[in-house]
Amino acid sequence: MAKAMAKKVAAGPPSPDETPKKPRKGAAPEAPPPTGAQGQIEEAKKYLKSVQTESKRITWPTQQQMKAFVAVVLVTLIVVTAYLFICDVVFTKIFAWLISMLSHK
């Protein structure tokens, strides 16, 4: 118990994130959020507004960049397809050979 108290004292005062927020003097008390369907509609509106705001900040790629990205994807697709095809052919031949060796005994 004494060790726990010593740790709290050694840690110092709580950080601003840990202290509860007090309402400002003279500020109107916050209204409770709407409940039920109305609250969900308000949340959806708030979310869509934030999505719209964020989408305005996006730096979209240029047409030249998009062409380069598509080329990279297509080349990668062709290379991976060829690799898998070769693996399939090789393993098919290996297993066919193994099966023929085991069936001759």
Side-chain angles (χ1 to χ4, degrees), residues 54-76:
E54 281 297 318
S55 67
K56 290 179 182 176
R57 295 187 206 170
I58 295 173
T59 304
W60 296 99
T62 64
Q63 186 174 7
Q64 192 68 25
Q65 288 173 324
M66 283 304 298
K67 287 179 182 179
F69 296 154
V70 169
V72 168
V73 169
L74 290 177
V75 168
T76 304

Side-chain angles (χ1 to χ4, degrees), residues 46-105:
K46 191 166 131 182
Y47 172 74
L48 291 174
K49 190 170 206 73
S50 69
V51 167
Q52 184 179 24
T53 303
E54 281 297 318
S55 67
K56 290 179 182 176
R57 295 187 206 170
I58 295 173
T59 304
W60 296 99
T62 64
Q63 186 174 7
Q64 192 68 25
Q65 288 173 324
M66 283 304 298
K67 287 179 182 179
F69 296 154
V70 169
V72 168
V73 169
L74 290 177
V75 168
T76 304
L77 177 70
I78 291 169
V79 168
V80 169
T81 302
Y83 173 76
L84 291 175
F85 175 75
I86 291 169
C87 287
D88 181 52
V89 169
V90 168
F91 283 117
T92 300
K93 292 193 182 274
I94 289 171
F95 283 113
W97 177 77
L98 283 173
I99 290 171
S100 69
M101 292 302 286
L102 292 174
S103 65
H104 282 109
K105 287 187 177 183

